[in-house]
Coordinates of all heavy atoms in Angstrom, one line a residue:
I15 N -58.7 45.2 -53.0 CA -57.9 46.1 -53.9 C -57.0 46.9 -53.0 O -57.3 47.3 -51.9 CB -58.8 47.0 -54.8 CG1 -57.9 47.7 -55.8 CG2 -59.5 48.0 -53.9 CD1 -58.7 48.4 -56.9
S16 N -55.8 47.1 -53.5 CA -54.8 47.8 -52.8 C -53.8 48.5 -53.8 O -53.8 48.1 -54.9 CB -54.0 46.9 -51.8 OG -53.3 45.9 -52.6
M17 N -53.0 49.4 -53.3 CA -52.0 50.1 -54.0 C -50.7 49.7 -53.3 O -50.6 49.5 -52.1 CB -52.1 51.6 -54.0 CG -53.1 52.1 -55.0 SD -53.0 53.9 -55.1 CE -54.2 54.3 -56.4
D18 N -49.6 49.7 -54.1 CA -48.3 49.5 -53.5 C -47.8 50.7 -52.8 O -48.5 51.8 -52.9 CB -47.3 49.0 -54.6 CG -46.9 50.0 -55.6 OD1 -47.5 51.2 -55.5 OD2 -46.1 49.7 -56.5
N19 N -46.7 50.7 -52.2 CA -46.2 51.8 -51.4 C -45.9 53.0 -52.3 O -46.0 54.2 -51.8 CB -44.9 51.4 -50.6 CG -45.3 50.5 -49.5 OD1 -46.4 50.4 -49.0 ND2 -44.3 49.7 -49.1
A20 N -45.5 52.8 -53.5 CA -45.2 53.9 -54.4 C -46.5 54.4 -55.0 O -46.4 55.4 -55.8 CB -44.2 53.4 -55.5
K21 N -47.6 53.8 -54.8 CA -48.9 54.2 -55.3 C -48.9 54.3 -56.9 O -49.5 55.2 -57.4 CB -49.3 55.5 -54.7 CG -49.5 55.4 -53.2 CD -50.1 56.7 -52.7 CE -50.2 56.6 -51.1 NZ -51.0 55.5 -50.7
N22 N -48.2 53.4 -57.5 CA -48.2 53.3 -59.0 C -48.7 52.0 -59.5 O -48.8 51.8 -60.7 CB -46.8 53.6 -59.5 CG -45.8 52.6 -59.1 OD1 -46.1 51.6 -58.4 ND2 -44.6 52.8 -59.5
T23 N -49.1 51.1 -58.6 CA -49.6 49.8 -59.0 C -50.8 49.4 -58.2 O -50.9 49.6 -57.0 CB -48.5 48.7 -58.8 OG1 -47.4 49.0 -59.6 CG2 -49.1 47.3 -59.2
A24 N -51.9 49.0 -58.9 CA -53.1 48.5 -58.2 C -53.1 47.0 -58.3 O -53.0 46.4 -59.3 CB -54.3 49.1 -58.8
I25 N -53.4 46.4 -57.1 CA -53.5 44.9 -57.0 C -54.9 44.5 -56.7 O -55.5 45.0 -55.7 CB -52.6 44.4 -55.9 CG1 -51.1 44.8 -56.2 CG2 -52.6 42.9 -55.9 CD1 -50.5 44.3 -57.5
L26 N -55.5 43.7 -57.5 CA -56.8 43.1 -57.2 C -56.6 41.6 -56.9 O -56.2 40.8 -57.7 CB -57.7 43.2 -58.4 CG -59.1 42.7 -58.2 CD1 -59.9 43.6 -57.2 CD2 -59.9 42.6 -59.6
R27 N -56.9 41.3 -55.6 CA -56.9 39.9 -55.2 C -58.3 39.3 -55.1 O -59.2 39.9 -54.5 CB -56.2 39.8 -53.8 CG -54.7 40.2 -53.8 CD -54.1 40.2 -52.4 NE -52.7 40.4 -52.4 CZ -52.1 41.6 -52.4 NH1 -52.9 42.7 -52.3 NH2 -50.8 41.7 -52.4
M28 N -58.5 38.3 -55.9 CA -59.8 37.6 -56.0 C -59.7 36.2 -55.5 O -58.8 35.5 -55.8 CB -60.2 37.6 -57.5 CG -60.3 39.0 -58.1 SD -60.9 38.9 -59.8 CE -59.6 38.1 -60.6
K29 N -60.6 35.9 -54.6 CA -60.7 34.5 -54.1 C -62.1 34.0 -54.2 O -63.1 34.7 -54.4 CB -60.2 34.4 -52.7 CG -61.0 35.2 -51.7 CD -60.5 35.1 -50.3 CE -61.3 35.8 -49.2 NZ -60.7 35.7 -47.9
I30 N -62.2 32.7 -54.0 CA -63.5 32.0 -54.1 C -64.2 32.4 -55.5 O -65.4 32.8 -55.5 CB -64.5 32.3 -52.9 CG1 -63.7 32.3 -51.6 CG2 -65.6 31.2 -52.9 CD1 -64.5 32.6 -50.4
L31 N -63.4 32.3 -56.5 CA -63.9 32.7 -57.8 C -65.1 31.8 -58.3 O -65.1 30.6 -58.0 CB -62.8 32.7 -58.8 CG -61.8 33.8 -58.7 CD1 -60.5 33.5 -59.5 CD2 -62.5 35.1 -59.3
K32 N -66.0 32.5 -59.0 CA -67.2 31.8 -59.5 C -67.2 31.9 -61.0 O -66.6 32.8 -61.6 CB -68.5 32.4 -58.9 CG -68.5 32.5 -57.4 CD -69.7 33.2 -56.9 CE -69.7 33.3 -55.4 NZ -70.9 34.1 -54.9
S33 N -68.0 31.1 -61.6 CA -68.2 31.1 -63.1 C -68.7 32.5 -63.5 O -68.3 33.0 -64.6 CB -69.1 30.0 -63.6 OG -70.4 30.2 -63.0
E34 N -69.5 33.2 -62.7 CA -70.0 34.5 -63.0 C -68.9 35.6 -63.0 O -69.2 36.7 -63.5 CB -71.1 34.9 -62.0 CG -72.2 33.9 -61.8 CD -72.0 33.0 -60.6 OE1 -71.2 32.0 -60.8 OE2 -72.6 33.2 -59.6
D35 N -67.7 35.2 -62.5 CA -66.6 36.2 -62.5 C -65.9 36.2 -63.9 O -65.0 37.0 -64.1 CB -65.6 35.9 -61.4 CG -66.2 36.1 -60.0 OD1 -67.0 37.0 -59.8 OD2 -66.0 35.2 -59.2
T36 N -66.3 35.3 -64.7 CA -65.6 35.2 -66.0 C -65.8 36.5 -66.8 O -67.0 37.0 -66.9 CB -66.2 34.0 -66.8 OG1 -65.8 32.8 -66.2 CG2 -65.6 34.0 -68.2
G37 N -64.8 37.0 -67.5 CA -64.9 38.2 -68.3 C -63.5 38.8 -68.6 O -62.5 38.3 -68.2
N38 N -63.6 39.9 -69.3 CA -62.4 40.6 -69.6 C -62.2 41.7 -68.5 O -63.2 42.5 -68.3 CB -62.4 41.2 -71.0 CG -61.1 41.5 -71.6 OD1 -60.1 41.1 -71.1 ND2 -61.1 42.3 -72.6
Y39 N -61.1 41.7 -67.9 CA -60.9 42.7 -66.8 C -60.0 43.8 -67.2 O -58.9 43.6 -67.8 CB -60.3 42.0 -65.6 CG -61.3 41.2 -64.8 CD1 -61.9 40.1 -65.3 CD2 -61.6 41.5 -63.5 CE1 -62.8 39.3 -64.6 CE2 -62.6 40.8 -62.8 CZ -63.2 39.7 -63.3 OH -64.1 39.0 -62.6
Y40 N -60.4 45.0 -67.0 CA -59.7 46.2 -67.5 C -59.3 47.1 -66.3 O -60.0 47.4 -65.4 CB -60.6 47.1 -68.3 CG -61.1 46.5 -69.6 CD1 -62.3 45.7 -69.6 CD2 -60.4 46.6 -70.8 CE1 -62.7 45.1 -70.8 CE2 -60.9 46.1 -72.0 CZ -62.0 45.3 -72.0 OH -62.5 44.7 -73.1
C41 N -58.0 47.4 -66.3 CA -57.5 48.4 -65.4 C -57.8 49.8 -65.8 O -57.8 50.1 -67.0 CB -56.0 48.2 -65.2 SG -55.2 49.4 -64.1
W42 N -58.1 50.7 -64.8 CA -58.4 52.1 -65.1 C -57.6 52.9 -64.1 O -57.4 52.6 -62.9 CB -59.9 52.4 -65.0 CG -60.2 53.8 -65.1 CD1 -60.5 54.5 -66.2 CD2 -60.3 54.8 -64.0 NE1 -60.8 55.8 -66.0 CE2 -60.7 56.0 -64.6 CE3 -60.2 54.7 -62.7 CZ2 -60.9 57.2 -63.9 CZ3 -60.4 55.9 -61.9 CH2 -60.7 57.1 -62.5
V43 N -57.1 54.1 -64.6 CA -56.4 55.0 -63.7 C -56.9 56.4 -64.0 O -57.0 56.8 -65.2 CB -54.8 54.9 -63.9 CG1 -54.4 55.2 -65.3 CG2 -54.2 55.9 -62.9
G44 N -57.2 57.1 -63.0 CA -57.5 58.5 -63.1 C -56.3 59.4 -62.7 O -55.8 59.1 -61.6
V45 N -56.0 60.3 -63.5 CA -54.8 61.1 -63.2 C -55.0 62.6 -63.3 O -56.0 63.0 -64.0 CB -53.6 60.7 -64.2 CG1 -53.4 59.2 -64.1 CG2 -53.9 61.2 -65.6
W46 N -54.2 63.4 -62.7 CA -54.1 64.8 -62.9 C -52.9 65.0 -63.9 O -51.8 64.7 -63.6 CB -53.8 65.6 -61.6 CG -53.5 67.0 -61.9 CD1 -52.3 67.6 -61.8 CD2 -54.5 68.0 -62.1 NE1 -52.4 69.0 -62.1 CE2 -53.8 69.3 -62.2 CE3 -55.9 68.1 -62.3 CZ2 -54.4 70.5 -62.5 CZ3 -56.5 69.3 -62.5 CH2 -55.8 70.4 -62.6
D47 N -53.3 65.6 -65.1 CA -52.3 65.8 -66.1 C -51.7 67.2 -65.9 O -52.4 68.2 -66.0 CB -53.0 65.7 -67.5 CG -52.0 65.7 -68.7 OD1 -51.2 66.6 -68.7 OD2 -52.1 64.8 -69.5
Y48 N -50.4 67.2 -65.7 CA -49.7 68.5 -65.5 C -49.7 69.4 -66.7 O -49.8 70.6 -66.5 CB -48.2 68.2 -65.1 CG -48.1 67.4 -63.8 CD1 -47.0 66.5 -63.7 CD2 -48.9 67.6 -62.7 CE1 -46.8 65.8 -62.5 CE2 -48.7 66.9 -61.6 CZ -47.7 66.0 -61.5 OH -47.5 65.3 -60.3
S49 N -49.7 68.9 -67.9 CA -49.6 69.7 -69.0 C -50.9 70.3 -69.4 O -51.0 71.5 -69.8 CB -49.0 68.9 -70.2 OG -49.9 67.9 -70.6
T50 N -52.0 69.5 -69.3 CA -53.3 70.0 -69.7 C -54.0 70.6 -68.5 O -55.1 71.3 -68.6 CB -54.2 68.9 -70.2 OG1 -54.4 67.9 -69.2 CG2 -53.6 68.3 -71.5
R51 N -53.5 70.4 -67.3 CA -54.1 70.9 -66.0 C -55.5 70.5 -65.9 O -56.4 71.3 -65.6 CB -53.9 72.4 -65.9 CG -52.4 72.8 -66.1 CD -52.3 74.3 -66.1 NE -52.6 75.0 -64.8 CZ -52.6 76.3 -64.6 NH1 -52.2 77.1 -65.6 NH2 -52.9 76.7 -63.4

């Protein structure tokens, strides 16, 4: 897993995939919200 230089995109590189890797993949981001603090 990596972030781009702007740190706004997450890249997941998967290799040697197996049948057990089958599924729905969800991205998640944790943020600091300026308005709600």
Side-chain angles (χ1 to χ4, degrees):
I15 189 169
S16 62
M17 281 188 178
D18 68 0
N19 291 335
K21 298 188 184 299
N22 62 2
T23 301
I25 305 297
L26 181 69
R27 294 178 172 88
M28 304 183 291
K29 64 179 182 180
I30 319 177
L31 284 163
K32 307 173 181 180
S33 60
E34 306 96 280
D35 296 319
T36 295
N38 203 15
Y39 283 65
Y40 297 88
C41 179
W42 175 88
V43 58
V45 306
W46 172 258
D47 189 309
Y48 297 144
S49 64
T50 63
R51 303 174 71 180

